[in-house]
Amino acid sequence: MTVPTREDADHIVISGMALEAPGGIDGPASYWSMLADAREVLGPLPRDRGWPIEEMLSLSRLDGWGGMRDVGGFLDGAAAFDPGFFGIGQREALATDPQQRVVLRVAWKALENTGTNPGAVEGEEAGCFVGTMPSEYGPRGAEVNEYSGHRVVGLGTMSAAGRVSHCLGLTGPSVTIDTSCTSALTALHLAAGAVRAGECDWALAGGATVMGSPLYFYEFAKHNALSADGHCRSYADDASGTLWGEGAGFVLVEKESRARRMGHRVYGRLLASAQNHNGKGRPILEPRVDAQERLVRKTIELAGIDPADVGMIEGHGTATRVGDPVELTALQNTYGVAGSAPLVGSVKSNVGHPQAAAGVLGLIKVLLAGRHGRIPPTLFSGNPTTRVDWDRSELRLATELRPWEPRGGVRCGAVSAFGASGANAHAIVAMPVDEEADNV
């Protein structure tokens, strides 16, 4: 292994985590149980959000539209919120996008996961970087109603990070990010850079998606890109389209020296992260092999590792006919040609596509896999897509729960995210074996 040791560099590390995911998953322990047990945690479309369910399920009758199923990955506790606990009035809470409410709750739990009292960090020079996307929650802003005046900071994409910083009293950089489905990994990249540059002592980084409207169901039905059978079959030959979901996750990033000094456990070292864009020349929704290749190569170079040491890749894996083969080809052209033989998978096969939260749920999956020394299976991966030539490299799909053997006392994993905006993000983390296996 060429991974620097603790004495060689003061790494950026991940020392806290929290998440909420479909199926009642409210933390790392239940998340890992779902992954290890290979469970699909989907459910019917929500009936308590005022969505036109009958119209949605009839979209295929319209000329040029694809159909959709009565299924998705929805948070059980999306509407649960104690405004008084976070110092928010009842009317303001109702006007506040549910994404902000979930972000506050999960950020609080991420601090508790480190052993930190969230009520005792006021005044600390700490940052908050949150990825979100528009959710179309609530009434139109350009009208007179009882929530007027509260919505200026209640919109999900405007002030999610500011909500957290204000609630906790953090005085470092506070940034809300929308790079589509790469938002959470972009947040991680920016947070790590801020800590590395001394802009803050530590930072919370993550993302959240709660669908205030069925906007993306309509958009992707028009593109005929929704799953035809109600499953998100990442990288499978019978994949027919993506399946929307929700989720939220946060990690705490800081320098390793601070983590050790504070007594925080180290889930993993962030060896490198990078982002880029597809550029012009093709439709903005169309992924690009060349752009993804450049990004992966750059991240490997920044990490300073032998790519053959990467044992697990948590891919984007949206189960679209175009996106999955492009992603797999880029991985073959980078990790594959370098002699790497990682197992590739995607948590979207379990929970659906959590959009802005996709990257952080994938990252936490890799960190937990490293800590437990096992790589979870990806559902529906027994029939891998025939749109790529699997004989070109040793990359394979993770079809069952497998041991993850370390190299030189370290397990290295990678995580990817690609956005409809043309943005791409990739990160490489290393999990030292001496940090593994306690309850999380």
Side-chain angles (χ1 to χ4, degrees):
M1 286 291 294
T2 56
V3 177
T5 65
R6 189 183 314 162
E7 292 73 27
D8 295 324
D10 197 0
H11 289 281
I12 300 297
V13 300
I14 296 166
S15 56
M17 64 169 71
L19 77 153
E20 292 184 8
I25 292 166
D26 60 0
S30 57
Y31 188 53
W32 175 252
S33 176
M34 179 270 293
L35 292 168
D37 293 344
R39 285 187 281 119
E40 185 182 52
V41 287
L42 306 176
L45 299 172
R47 264 59 177 182
D48 59 354
R49 302 187 189 184
W51 291 6
I53 302 295
E54 185 176 340
E55 177 183 271
M56 293 170 66
L57 298 178
S58 303
L59 289 174
S60 61
R61 299 176 185 175
L62 301 177
D63 186 33
W65 287 66
M68 60 172 290
R69 293 299 185 100
D70 187 5
V71 66
F74 301 100
L75 293 179
D76 289 358
F81 186 63
D82 182 356
F85 182 84
F86 295 102
I88 299 174
Q90 186 67 33
R91 183 169 296 180
E92 183 179 358
L94 288 172
T96 298
D97 192 307
Q99 294 180 130
Q100 289 192 23
R101 306 179 209 163
V102 173
V103 158
L104 282 169
R105 190 165 62 228
V106 178
W108 188 278
K109 291 192 288 187
L111 279 172
E112 290 183 325
N113 184 255
T114 71
T116 300
N117 176 5
V121 296
E122 182 176 352
E124 293 196 19
E125 197 167 357
C128 183
F129 297 79
V130 184
T132 61
M133 291 165 56
S135 74
E136 293 193 335
Y137 170 75
R140 293 176 60 245
E143 67 180 25
V144 177
N145 58 57
E146 60 183 311
Y147 304 111
S148 297
H150 295 295
R151 303 199 69 215
V152 65
V153 292
L155 299 175
T157 54
M158 181 184 293
S159 306
R163 281 285 186 189
V164 175
S165 296
H166 179 264
C167 174
L168 297 174
L170 309 181
T171 63
S174 186
V175 183
T176 303
I177 298 139
D178 179 4
T179 55
S180 186
C181 300
T182 66
S183 295
L185 270 195
T186 301
L188 172 72
H189 176 70
L190 296 177
V195 173
R196 193 177 292 114
E199 297 175 14
C200 51
D201 296 327
W202 54 271
L204 289 163
T209 289
V210 179
M211 288 178 277
S213 85
L215 165 66
Y216 296 109
F217 284 100
Y218 280 82
E219 287 296 299
F220 272 63
K222 181 60 176 174
H223 286 286
N224 288 274
L226 291 177
S227 170
D229 64 357
H231 301 287
C232 192
R233 299 178 180 273
S234 304
Y235 310 119
D237 202 39
D238 51 352
S240 56
T242 200
L243 186 77
W244 294 127
E246 301 175 332
F250 268 102
V251 295
L252 189 143
V253 296
E254 59 187 339
K255 291 184 177 179
E256 186 161 359
S257 59
R258 183 181 189 275
R260 302 296 178 183
R261 186 172 68 252
M262 300 295 291
H264 298 164
R265 61 185 146 198
V266 173
Y267 289 109
R269 296 169 182 156
L270 180 61
L271 300 185
S273 60
Q275 55 181 337
N276 72 0
H277 193 274
N278 291 334
K280 64 182 297 184
R282 294 182 184 175
I284 192 170
L285 286 173
E286 188 173 321
R288 299 273 290 274
V289 172
D290 58 340
Q292 294 185 20
E293 278 188 39
R294 288 196 305 272
L295 177 69
V296 173
R297 292 185 194 281
K298 180 178 182 179
T299 312
I300 292 171
E301 181 181 356
L302 290 171
I305 64 168
D306 181 347
D309 290 328
V310 173
M312 174 183 178
I313 298 175
E314 174 65 7
H316 199 53
T318 58
T320 56
R321 296 182 185 276
V322 174
D324 284 8
V326 164
E327 181 182 0
L328 290 169
T329 299
L331 293 176
Q332 288 180 327
N333 292 348
T334 50
Y335 290 102
V337 299
S340 180
L343 292 177
V344 180
S346 174
V347 70
K348 293 177 184 64
S349 69
N350 304 86
V351 302
H353 186 348
Q355 303 168 71
V360 70
L361 293 190
L363 172 67
I364 293 174
K365 174 183 172 182
V366 172
L367 293 170
L368 292 175
R371 199 162 189 84
H372 288 274
R374 292 180 289 171
I375 298 175
T378 291
L379 308 186
F380 319 113
S381 57
N383 58 334
T385 177
T386 56
R387 295 171 186 261
V388 299
D389 180 3
W390 290 98
D391 293 333
R392 290 183 53 220
S393 74
E394 295 301 313
L395 270 74
R396 295 293 182 268
L397 298 183
T399 59
E400 59 184 351
L401 187 65
R402 295 279 299 275
W404 187 359
E405 299 300 331
R407 291 195 177 194
V410 174
R411 296 183 180 95
C412 281
V415 57
S416 290
F418 309 114
S421 64
N424 309 303
H426 193 69
I428 297 174
V429 292
M431 289 71 69
V433 173
D434 59 6
E435 302 286 350
E436 70 181 4
D438 61 359
N439 292 325
V440 291

